Amino acid sequence: HVQLVESGGGSVQAGGSLTLSCVMSGYSSMYFMGWFRQAPGKKREGVSCIRWSADNTYYADSVKGRFTISHDNAKNTIYLQMDKLNAEDTAMYYCAVRPSPWVGSCLVDQPYNDWGQGTQVTVF
């Protein structure tokens, strides 16, 4: 039984920072882990993703230089450090996992098998 549990969301002033966490359980292997977000009335978009074994990281243009994705193998946890937040970052944030290899972008929905319940980030 796989499970993804996000935490760390909240309300923050523009210019502030938040760190999201996603604890993953039940996996024997992981290939890509990603963070996505969805604002009201908008499509879900890829924010950042990372290859578990190779530490390759990828970012949407809108967050490059402000967000940092990382993972802790021992804790089966991925993080999203978000700095210099602005109102456009307000959204529900989801983590996702693709356990098996994938050739192609990890910033799109298609490859991911499992999703967390989401954590809300509000920037005012």
Side-chain angles (χ1 to χ4, degrees), residues 18-46:
L18 282 173
T19 300
L20 305 183
S21 301
C22 174
V23 179
M24 303 166 286
S25 59
Y27 289 95
S28 57
S29 66
M30 288 176 284
Y31 193 76
F32 275 133
M33 295 77 62
W35 285 100
F36 290 75
R37 67 185 181 188
Q38 187 167 22
K42 294 188 177 182
K43 293 176 61 176
R44 185 164 58 191
E45 64 172 345

